[in-house]
């Protein structure tokens, strides 16, 4: 499994769900802390996502990382727990509706997969389950790249 394979899988996921943006954030240990970065994306408007560095508990990916639970918002402007500035990926990519799920391995979060729409979009009832199932499959790809 190569990084290009993950990128092409993300393109397929984006088309399957009709998403405007899909990304996977992974973590690296830096100065004794985990740094979470958006490593693989599809549908991005620019490369500013590459400059986003989050700690566990910060930003969409950091919150999903800390809680190991999905985060879903059909309208980030009205139903968020923090100011929009706290969600740099949503600002950079102009996302209005998001679904983010943890990618787990042996009970630990190894990544976060985020799907987003640039217009306020109702997230179908089946989507969290379907999106999580795909994220679970992506776990193999992420582990294969790390080896």
């Amino acid at each position: 499994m190569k990084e290009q394979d993950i990128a092409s899988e993300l393109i397929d996921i984006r088309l399957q769900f009709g998403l405007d943006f899909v990304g996977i954030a992974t973590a690296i240990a830096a100065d004794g802390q985990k740094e979470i970065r958006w490593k693989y994306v599809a549908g991005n408007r620019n490369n500013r996502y590459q400059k986003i560095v989050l700690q566990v508990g910060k930003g969409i990916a950091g919150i999903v990382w800390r809680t190991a639970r999905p985060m879903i918002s059909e309208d980030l402007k009205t139903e968020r727990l923090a100011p929009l500035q706290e969600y740099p990926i949503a600002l950079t990519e102009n996302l209005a509706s998001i679904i983010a799920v943890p990618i787990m391995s042996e009970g630990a979060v190894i990544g976060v997969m985020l799907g987003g729409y640039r217009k306020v979009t109702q997230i179908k009832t089946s989507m969290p389950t379907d999106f999580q199932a795909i994220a679970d499959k992506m776990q193999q790809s992420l582990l294969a790249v790390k080896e």
Side-chain angles (χ1 to χ4, degrees), residues 19-90:
L19 295 159
D20 295 313
F21 175 87
V22 180
I24 292 181
T26 59
I28 51 167
D31 303 328
Q33 278 194 322
K34 267 196 182 114
E35 278 189 355
I36 301 170
R37 293 177 177 263
W38 293 100
K39 187 157 185 195
Y40 308 102
V41 299
N44 51 309
R45 289 205 158 152
N46 54 52
N47 288 334
R48 286 188 295 184
Y49 73 88
Q50 294 171 336
K51 294 187 173 87
I52 297 172
V53 178
L54 303 164
Q55 263 64 51
V56 172
K58 302 285 184 209
I60 295 166
I63 292 166
V64 173
W65 200 288
R66 187 187 71 218
T67 61
R69 295 176 63 151
M71 180 174 170
I72 298 169
S73 174
E74 292 184 345
D75 186 355
L76 276 176
K77 284 190 174 59
T78 59
E79 56 179 64
R80 61 179 179 272
L81 304 168
L84 207 49
Q85 291 82 341
E86 305 264 327
Y87 303 146
I89 194 69

Side-chain angles (χ1 to χ4, degrees), residues 122-137:
Q122 188 173 3
I123 293 178
K124 292 186 190 92
T125 336
S126 61
M127 188 167 177
T129 312
D130 297 345
F131 205 66
Q132 185 67 61
I134 289 171
D136 293 344
K137 286 187 190 131

